[in-house]
Amino acid sequence: MEFKLEAHRIVSISLGKIYNSRVQRGGIKLHKNLLVSLVLRSARQVYLSDPCPGLYLAGPAGIPAPPPQQLGEPAAGPPAGWGEPPPPAAGASWADTEPQPEGSAVSEAPRVGDAVPEATVTGVGVVPQGGAADAAKAAWSRVEGPRQAAAGEAEGPAGGWGVFPLGSRASRRPCGCPLGGEDSSGTPAATPRAACCCAPRPAEDEPPAPPAVCPRKRGAAGVGGGPTSFPAPGSTPLKKPRRNLEQPPSGGEDDDTEEMDTGNVANLISIFGSSFSGLLRKSPGGGREEEEGEKSGPEAAEPGQICCDKPVLRDMNPWSTAIVAF
Amino acid sequence: MAGAGGGGCPAGGNDFQWCFSQVKGAIDEDVAEADIISTVEFNYSGDLLATGDKGGRVVIFQREQENKSRPHSRGEYNVYSTFQSHEPEFDYLKSLEIEEKINKIRWLPQQNAAHFLLSTNDKTIKLWKISERDKRAEGYNLKDEDGRLRDPFRITALRVPILKPMDLMVEASPRRIFANAHTYHINSISVNSDHETYLSADDLRINLWHLEITDRSFNIVDIKPANMEELTEVITAAEFHPHQCNVFVYSSSKGTIRLCDMRSSALCDRHSKFFEEPEDPSSRSFFSEIISSISDVKFSHSGRYMMSRDYLSVKVWDLNMESRPLETHQVHEYLRSKLCSLYENDCIFDKFECCWNGSDSAIMTGSYNNFFRMFDRDTRRDVTLEASRESSKPRASLKPRKVCTGGKRKKDEISVDSLDFNKKILHTAWHPADSVIAVAATNNLYIFQGKIN
């Protein structure tokens, strides 16, 4: 629980920094904002993966599902940047028992420095071997008893923290993968490389768990993504095929389930800014149209996406606090 | 007395002491933002010491010749020249203000009586010529002594002007302005060993310039992704190899260093060597990425090693070993548990620099509370010293400081929670040959000299 609070606090602080950077003298500092966005992403992962159902809307399925499960992109939904908001309309997908391999370990509060890989491997290792059906079964059963199982397990990859300790490069980048990896239409916070931290190192370190997570998240198309989850370590080119792989499945669910990509500074500002329309328009040189000064992410800033997020977000008190702060 | 290559045992050996020599800058507590020193650099001989500040000014100090009558007192640094290098500008196209803060100063090797340096702000690099004038011509034909033009028809005889001595005047004039080549903020400049070219690096690109040509530069590194949303790392520092004019390195926000050879291709996007230390998974936190970002990279004078500074440590690398650093020195490990607070107050984004001594036997870097740290690579000793007005009596030895991390605080120790994070030493410089160091503490410049007792 305290992780959630901590993560929430960090998210608020980070958003404040990004917002303030718009009016800083000398223009937006790309380096600092990049770092802040990385922290933001990590914090959001932790925040959304910390199982405190009380703070979340009850899922439409009526299951106070720990967020990570929802983060598992239902079926074809493209994984969003860092996990979708707690149950959007696609909450019913939870009942679909989509393969959520990481779901098992996810319920565990994310802990830094856990011997996550081992536990995750144990818990999830089964999954990759099986087919989608097996995975679904395994995931489902694990989902059932996450809390009980969680006790013995270190936190899983979808917890955000889980992936970090895996290998050097993998741990370095916040893994958007288990939480949804990359947006298809949206804007992955960073390259595919960053979004799928499992990919670079899993072969070296904890091969089964994280890579398994990633393809599974893709749902139906995920199995196909399986093989690609064991790329040569650190090979950048593999990221791009992965990304393309996600494009097809994205289908119609993107807009609804896609989470805002806070790795994208302009995107974030525009998303939050659009909730307070006056703010964004007041600063002519600000967030939206920084052509070179910062990353641009027009695609993800779709009205549909924002509309979806807003009610969800506003229902969550901690979130609205952060947003209202702006 | 010149130390043996800046030697003795600089990091607090038995007989070596750092002593206060001078402090430059205002004393009052109220620090004007424009006076904050943003870069410090000795020239190749160490006789000149340049500082740049946030107000866009450059102040150059010159070491006085040693006084023969007092052989034990070493040369002091006195103001030699002050000039406004950069002014605030406004980019109307992007509605962005361009800060006048001097990010870096780099000296050119001296080739004649004048001195040349490069100074840069976020967008524009300028080559300044600093020259002395101690004579002036008198007896012009076309103008009289006041400078007024004479009526040519009144001139009946011609004379040759003669040079007369005058009070020494040091003039700084901008000789080249290298502008409009950087979209992002310039973080580094580095003069090549060929003395003809130099590089400038911003967040995403590195450009190669010729000192004589201002209207174009070659782009040699470009890490801007086709889709900016895919950005994961930025360039944080770059430097040319001290002897091999085709080699340079650049560091990234991900804690990696790439060495590039300009002979291999025109665009050095592919590195020749890649230096990265695997991250320790057990120390992962929200802020791992931030603290692994490299803030400075410096080649040793020998060219065999290089040093990188990240938030908590400084690492020495052997250019022949890419897998891990040769040495890792913890600067202020006690801050690791405070990262969240440091993130809140933005201190975690501070960019500390580091420097080698003349013989590459010691390295120095700054910390908070006006502390700076020195590591002796030979003896493996390290010392924490403080730049403060209190310990600023002439030739007073600096007392080693210690930070207490918990438990009982011994006398003279300072606890982590008492550290003043507003007093940060980001910029330090070491004389290329002697045991003289310059430490910038906010708006004050401290000069310390080393003595062997």
Side-chain angles (χ1 to χ4, degrees), chain A:
Chain A
M1 179 61 187
E2 58 273 17
F3 292 108
K4 181 184 286 301
L5 292 175
E6 169 90 352
H8 167 52
R9 198 167 131 257
I10 290 177
V11 167
S12 308
I13 294 168
S14 305
L15 294 175
K17 289 188 194 299
I18 292 178
Y19 186 75
N20 287 335
S21 73
R22 296 160 66 196
V23 299
Q24 255 169 18
R25 208 173 158 240
I28 292 194
K29 307 260 186 295
L30 186 62
H31 183 199
K32 182 177 176 186
N33 280 278
L34 177 67
L35 295 176
V36 171
S37 70
L38 294 175
V39 170
L40 189 54
R41 202 192 331 174
S42 306
R44 283 206 73 244
Q45 280 181 337
V46 169
Y47 182 77
L48 293 172
S49 64
D50 197 354
C52 288
L55 289 180
Y56 289 93
L57 297 180
I63 302 170
Q69 274 77 21
Q70 298 131 20
L71 294 176
E73 193 57 32
W82 302 305
E84 299 67 19
S93 65
W94 176 232
D96 288 346
T97 78
E98 283 305 310
Q100 309 286 336
E102 71 283 5
S104 55
V106 165
S107 55
E108 187 70 7
R111 280 195 297 255
V112 178
D114 276 352
V116 173
E118 290 76 18
T120 308
V121 170
T122 316
V124 181
V126 177
V127 178
Q129 276 67 22
D134 291 345
K137 212 166 27 168
W140 182 235
S141 61
R142 277 195 209 91
V143 162
E144 291 292 40
R147 311 274 159 75
Q148 299 87 345
E153 279 189 9
E155 165 255 333
W161 277 151
V163 280
F164 295 160
L166 302 171
S168 57
R169 299 213 180 124
S171 57
R172 195 172 299 245
R173 306 184 189 90
C175 179
C177 180
L179 303 177
E182 304 158 18
D183 303 328
S184 51
S185 62
T187 57
T191 32
R193 179 196 306 186
C196 196
C197 73
C198 330
R201 293 299 185 192
E204 286 177 348
D205 295 333
E206 312 297 337
V213 166
C214 301
R216 295 304 167 195
K217 295 290 276 186
R218 309 299 183 262
V223 181
T228 65
S229 61
F230 292 84
S235 53
T236 308
L238 285 170
K239 303 288 173 48
K240 295 199 166 62
R242 179 181 296 279
R243 189 161 183 229
N244 294 335
L245 199 68
E246 289 146 30
Q247 303 279 1
S250 62
E253 256 181 304
D254 314 356
D255 291 354
D256 290 341
T257 55
E258 193 164 302
E259 177 66 337
M260 63 188 142
D261 184 342
T262 50
N264 179 295
V265 175
N267 195 21
L268 171 69
I269 292 172
S270 65
I271 288 167
F272 278 102
S274 65
S275 301
F276 314 89
S277 47
L279 283 173
L280 200 58
R281 280 181 220 127
K282 268 183 207 144
S283 351
R288 216 172 253 288
E289 292 310 322
E290 310 276 355
E291 54 264 334
E292 293 283 4
E294 62 174 11
K295 303 161 246 178
S296 58
E299 305 94 343
E302 295 154 322
Q305 170 190 348
I306 295 167
C307 290
C308 169
D309 289 347
K310 260 192 341 194
V312 170
L313 293 172
R314 289 236 173 96
D315 283 337
M316 296 170 56
N317 287 335
W319 272 113
S320 61
T321 310
I323 296 170
V324 165
F326 295 102

Side-chain angles (χ1 to χ4, degrees), chain B residues 11 29 73 84 105 120 130 148 176 194 201 205 207-208 272 309 315 441:
Chain B
E29 289 294 313
S73 84
Q84 185 77 30
I105 289 175
T120 184
I130 297 104
R148 279 180 307 203
R176 306 271 187 278
D194 63 8
R205 298 191 178 102
N207 293 332
L208 179 71
S272 298
R309 174 73 155 99
K315 297 177 181 174

